[in-house]
Amino acid sequence: MPLESNARIAKELARHGYNAEREAITLLASASDSTAAVESVVDHAPDDALRITSDHVRAVTNGEPASGADPTPADGGSADPIHSDGDSADSESDTTSESTPDQTSDERSSATSKSRSPVETEGSSNPDPDHTVEHNTDPASDPSTDTALHHDPDLRELEVGNDMTGRSTGTGEYGDFVKTFRDRYERLSKVLRGRVNHRPAEAIAEMPGGSDAAMIGLVNDVRSTKSGHWLVELEDTTGTFPALIMKDKGLADLVDEILMDECLAVEGTLADDSGILFADSLHFPDVPRTHRTGAADRHVQAALISDVHVGSDEFMADAWSRFTDWLHTPEAEPIEYLLLAGDMVEGVGVYPDQDEELEIVDIYDQYEAFAEHLKEVPADTEIVMIPGNHDAVRLAEPQPGFNDEIRSIMDVHDAQIVSNPATVTVEGVDVLMYHGVSLDEVIAELPEEKASYDEPHKAMYQLLKKRHVAPQFGGHTRVAPEERDYLVIEDVPDVFHTGHVHKLGWGKYHNVLAVNSGCWQAQTDFQKSVNIDPDSGYAPILDLDTLEMTVRKFA
Ligand code: D5M
Ligand code: FE
Ligand code: ZN
């Protein structure tokens, strides 16, 4: 069997129980007969070796030079990076952002970038290949990768917070929902309390007519009146109270963004009979504009991907292999982390007629196949995975990080498997990982310019603004009753990583980088029927030291 790729070499070595330095793999790939070289290195490796090093390879290849080799994917152009900086939206009205992107990682590492993509300066994140920055993909000619870096596991820091796996308390009783919403109210009202001088619903009803008053509550109802105003009913732990938002108050834009069940503050003046509050202002919990992000103190990167969908006829195995191949090249050496935001497999019975497009019909076989594909990733990569709606866990969120059986199948390269959502802190950078089912909801509910499939990061901004990954209850998104509302975004993350909508898009909202990572599945029949054009085969790469993004295309 010819060893056609770096990933295959890594897999072959893993089969013999060895991890390998990336440089060792590159050297093996460049040997004139790499199959023989692999066999030889396996035969000659010292008995106590756990990891094949470049020295082991040189010992068996007699120092055969690697310089003639091109360890890039076969089609040569597939690892082109495209535009790298987000749209740096500084406010909710960011549609005309004219930010000047900072220096990108391309600029730092390559003198061969011919032009800046117009997309970069517009701040959009449309992965149109026309906007691909030309880039020399031969890592051998890139001065910054001349000397392969060697990973030092001691430099790594990866901590998972907010993992609810094994901590589900829900019994499915109505009372549990009351607890979930109470917890949501308590934690989000805290965020709003400093901004308004609020009173409980019960107390507001007792205040004299004409008083100034403010209330914080969960949205119980929102509707427009015949005369074009809006009536919003808020609920807190003492009761409900209505607020009338007059159309001439300049609040229409904010009213557009209101979702059911989210936490909101309304400030205004009570009617003469104290029966309704005439609103002057509305406040979402939001992310402070002053949010200061963490950063790694060395140059190290994370690949943020999702929606692999192994088991689907449309799973793009070739693109995936090109990606994992590339991960073994010196150019990808700084990528020490892989964060996977759900939908590892296609699953079974997720959507009607899905079985007609299944390549693997058994769910366990799908995870076995996924595990094989994951083995192609360099063995020393730190991997974190959360489930999505196609995975074999309960659909209601938060989703625990799989049962023991599936976990053992996916136990590849010591991957950490945690709940959806979960926060991982990677060398000082807090990354909130969430699969993204609520994005469908946000996109359906809000006007096009605020949230759309073409700009999924803007829908993510709304979730940041609401400080909740799935504010609206009872629609697309199923919420599990738990004593704690794990879906509240209590601590502001530095990076928000989602998938699910199969569209690539990223940008900054109040300093928080929102990234929706595309997918590894070509268009399905359903997607064709509703005109969803997925962004397949892209790998967004995040610099953990600068929070800049580079996107690589493998399809
Ligand atoms: O869904 C990927 C995207 O496509 C997400 O936006 C939902 C939408 N989608 C895909 N298939 C369906 C069906 N059958 N009904 C409704 N919406 C669908 P994912 O769940 O990640 O495959
Ligand atoms: Fe998906
Ligand atoms: Zn999904």
Side-chain angles (χ1 to χ4, degrees), residues 340-363:
L340 220 163
D343 285 358
M344 270 64 92
V345 300
E346 173 63 9
V348 176
V350 181
Y351 291 124
D353 301 326
Q354 185 202 18
D355 50 333
E356 289 164 24
E357 290 182 81
L358 286 182
E359 185 191 320
I360 305 172
V361 295
D362 179 273
I363 186 76

